[in-house]
Amino acid sequence: RENKMAYIAKNEVKAIRDGLRAKFGKTIKFSVRGEDHSSVAVSIMRSDIDLSKYLGDSTYADVNHHSFDRIFEDDKKVVSMFDSIQDIIKTAPGTVEGGREWFDKSDTMTDYFHTAYYYNISIGRWDKPYIAA
């Protein structure tokens, strides 16, 4: 029987954190937090690639994960980095016992939402600014 509610367990959030650490090492510092058992928030807190030009006058920014290629079109290295981050967010939870990879079977035309879990990606956090290393 398939669970129809978005849900991500603590061990799945940890798998994302561990996957990001394994891929990026010390070149990028992440904050990875589970939120309300239905979503995971991944924030880039410090990186060797300067992302501050995408912040405008702010110290943080949410990133639309549907359009990395448009947001960062002038920098293919940044697009590749965000693609890798998103890939880990979607696949790492499936590597732990009882975990599952991300899926989205939603149909917005009929107002039916069915996804494994929600996720968001940001540069910095509202309460802790991004720092270019």
Side-chain angles (χ1 to χ4, degrees):
R1 193 166 134 198
E2 190 174 17
N3 184 359
K4 299 286 185 181
M5 301 214 26
Y7 179 80
I8 187 163
K10 287 181 182 181
N11 66 328
E12 293 171 305
V13 172
K14 183 180 182 316
I16 293 171
R17 186 178 302 112
D18 293 345
L20 291 169
R21 190 174 296 131
K23 169 75 176 170
F24 295 100
K26 295 182 188 259
T27 61
I28 301 176
K29 180 182 178 192
F30 292 96
S31 169
V32 181
R33 302 169 323 283
E35 297 180 334
D36 298 325
H37 301 290
S38 64
S39 63
V40 62
V42 175
S43 303
I44 299 171
M45 303 309 296
R46 183 177 32 86
S47 68
D48 60 349
I49 300 172
D50 188 3
L51 302 172
S52 57
K53 69 180 179 180
Y54 301 108
L55 299 178
D57 293 333
S58 185
T59 58
Y60 77 99
D62 289 322
V63 177
N64 183 338
H65 57 270
H66 298 290
S67 56
F68 296 143
D69 53 342
R70 284 184 304 207
I71 296 169
F72 307 113
E73 65 186 342
D74 61 328
D75 194 338
K76 299 303 178 197
K77 186 175 181 181
V78 173
V79 170
S80 176
M81 177 187 73
F82 275 97
D83 283 341
S84 294
I85 291 168
Q86 182 170 249
D87 184 54
I88 292 167
I89 292 170
K90 289 180 174 183
T91 60
T95 64
V96 296
E97 185 175 341
R100 59 188 173 157
E101 289 190 2
W102 184 84
F103 65 84
D104 189 356
K105 299 178 183 175
S106 300
D107 180 3
T108 57
M109 295 300 287
T110 61
D111 203 26
Y112 173 74
F113 298 95
H114 177 44
T115 186
Y117 48 89
Y118 299 101
Y119 67 93
N120 61 53
I121 302 172
S122 66
I123 302 169
R125 293 189 342 215
W126 70 272
D127 62 341
K128 194 168 183 183
Y130 165 78
I131 300 169

